[in-house]
Amino acid sequence: MVDTNMPQNSIDESKRSATLDTLLMLCVPFAVAIFTHGFVAVFNSAISIITCLIFTNIGKKFLQSEFPPKSPHSYIIGLSVSLLLPATAPWWMTILTAAFAMGVCVLPFGNPEKTPFIPSATALCFATLCWPEEIFNYSPIGDSLGQMLLYGNSINKNLVGIIETLVGSTPSAMGTGCILALIGVLIFLILRRPKDSLATICFILAVGVMAALFPRISTGRTLSVIMELCSGMILFGAIFFISSSVIAPERTISKIVWGFASGIICMLIRYAAPFEESACFGFVIACAISDYFDNLPLTRKEKKKRKRKSKNCL
C-alpha cells in the first residue's frame, strides 16, 4: 500500500514509475516467449491486450471508471494474462481470461489501483477451474515441472538436467519457463526498487525453505528447491505480484513478514491442490490478507521515528 504521509505528487510519480518498471520487466519474458513460440506468442498477447483495452474503454464510457492518465495497466494485465497461459491456449480462452481479469477484478472497483485482487492471478484461478485440461496443455511432448512434482517425479540430477530447467526446455506457460530471464528481471527489480523487492526476496526464501523441509520428490532437497522455484508461476508471481506497491504492505517489517507468509501459503496450496500448478490461488489469498500486516506491532526503530516526528510537530 502507498504511504499516505508522502505528498500527492510524489505518490503519483512513484506509482507511475513502478508501473512503467513493471511493463518494462514484462517485456523480457514476452521477448523470450516470441523467441520460443514465434507468432503464437504475439497473437495471444495481442488479443489479450486488446480485450483489456476494450474493457478499459467500456469502464471509462459506461461505468465512469477513473483510470490514471495514460495508464499502462491494461497492457500490463493483458500481457501478464497471456504470459501465464500456454502457447496452445485457444484464442477464446485467452479472451475470456483477459475479460475476467478486467471485467470482474478491475472495473467494479474503479481502476487497477483500487482493486483488492491481483487481476491476472485471479483470472488464472478462473481459467484453472473452468478449463483445467486446456490450461495445463503446455506441450504434447514431455511433462512440465509442476506435473513432475505432482506425481513425485524428478529432473535429472546431473548438470544438464539443471541447465535444461533454467533455460526453459521443459513445457511451461509462455512467460514462466525461462528461469534465467526471470532471474535477470529479479536482479533489475532489486537494483531498481530495493524496498519493493524485500517482499519478493522473502517470498522466494519461504518457498525454498518449504521445498527443503517438505520435498515432493525423493532425489534430494536441493533438487526439490530448484524444481519448486522453477516450476509454474512461482518465480513470475514473486517478481510481478508480490513486489507490487499496490498490493504489498507499506512498512518494511510488514513487507518482510507478509512476503514470507505468502510463500508459505502458496506452497501449502501446492501441496494440497489436485492441479499441477495452483500457486495462483495462493497469490490471491496473499493479496486478500496483505492489509492486515501493516497492523503488526511497531519495531523499536519505528517507535523512535514516530516520537521524533511528534516532537517536531510540537
Side-chain angles (χ1 to χ4, degrees):
M1 304 303 168
V2 179
D3 188 354
T4 54
N5 293 323
M6 294 173 62
Q8 186 60 42
N9 289 341
S10 299
I11 292 174
D12 292 341
E13 185 60 33
S14 176
K15 283 182 179 179
R16 181 165 178 78
S17 176
T19 305
L20 291 174
D21 285 345
T22 301
L23 184 58
L24 177 62
M25 292 189 298
L26 276 170
C27 289
V28 176
F30 179 50
V32 174
I34 294 174
F35 178 79
T36 306
H37 303 288
F39 175 75
V40 172
V42 177
F43 176 75
N44 286 358
S45 297
I47 61 174
S48 180
I49 291 171
I50 290 171
T51 301
C52 290
L53 289 172
I54 290 172
F55 272 83
T56 299
N57 290 327
I58 290 173
K60 288 179 179 179
K61 190 169 184 178
F62 299 105
L63 302 177
Q64 297 181 340
S65 300
E66 298 179 357
F67 279 69
K70 298 180 180 179
S71 169
H73 284 98
S74 299
Y75 296 93
I76 291 173
I77 294 170
L79 190 54
S80 58
V81 164
S82 66
L83 292 176
L84 289 172
L85 294 175
T88 56
W91 61 268
W92 54 264
M93 190 175 81
T94 302
I95 291 175
L96 290 176
T97 306
F100 186 92
M102 291 298 295
V104 176
C105 303
V106 175
L107 295 191
F109 306 96
N111 67 58
E113 295 177 356
K114 294 180 180 178
T115 177
F117 303 106
I118 306 173
S120 47
T122 309
L124 196 68
C125 295
F126 163 75
T128 299
L129 294 173
C130 292
W131 312 291
E133 292 185 3
E134 286 84 1
I135 202 76
F136 300 123
N137 182 25
Y138 299 127
S139 170
I141 303 174
D143 296 332
S144 69
L145 292 177
Q147 188 174 26
M148 294 171 69
L149 285 166
L150 185 64
Y151 295 109
N153 299 325
S154 173
I155 60 173
N156 294 326
K157 288 185 177 181
N158 55 34
L159 184 60
V160 174
I162 295 174
I163 291 175
E164 286 180 346
T165 301
L166 294 176
V167 300
S169 294
T170 54
S172 66
M174 287 202 303
T176 64
C178 187
I179 302 303
L180 289 180
L182 291 176
I183 290 174
V185 174
L186 176 61
I187 293 171
F188 174 83
L189 173 66
I190 294 171
L191 296 176
R192 176 73 172 169
R193 289 155 47 200
K195 186 178 179 181
D196 289 340
S197 68
L198 279 175
T200 294
I201 294 169
C202 292
F203 178 95
I204 293 171
L205 287 174
V207 171
V209 170
M210 290 290 286
L213 292 177
F214 309 104
R216 290 192 281 172
I217 56 175
S218 58
T219 50
R221 299 181 190 276
T222 301
L223 280 185
S224 173
V225 172
I226 292 172
M227 288 184 68
E228 294 286 3
L229 286 172
C230 295
S231 65
M233 63 180 291
I234 279 288
L235 192 55
F236 185 98
I239 295 169
F240 294 104
F241 303 150
I242 299 299
S243 68
S244 172
S245 57
V246 176
I247 297 166
E250 172 57 31
R251 295 165 53 204
T252 299
I253 186 64
S254 301
K255 287 180 183 290
I256 293 171
V257 177
W258 175 73
F260 204 86
S262 300
I264 293 174
I265 290 170
C266 284
M267 287 300 291
L268 289 175
I269 291 178
R270 268 188 163 185
Y271 291 146
F275 306 112
E276 64 180 81
E277 174 56 304
S278 50
C280 52
F281 298 96
F283 285 113
V284 171
I285 294 172
C287 176
I289 64 174
S290 64
D291 281 349
Y292 297 101
F293 285 81
D294 266 329
N295 297 323
L296 292 174
L298 296 176
T299 62
R300 289 183 180 181
K301 186 177 180 180
E302 288 174 327
K303 288 178 180 178
K304 289 180 180 179
K305 189 175 181 180
R306 290 200 176 186
K307 283 182 180 179
R308 286 197 298 268
K309 280 187 177 180
S310 61
K311 287 180 180 179
N312 292 335
C313 291
L314 295 173

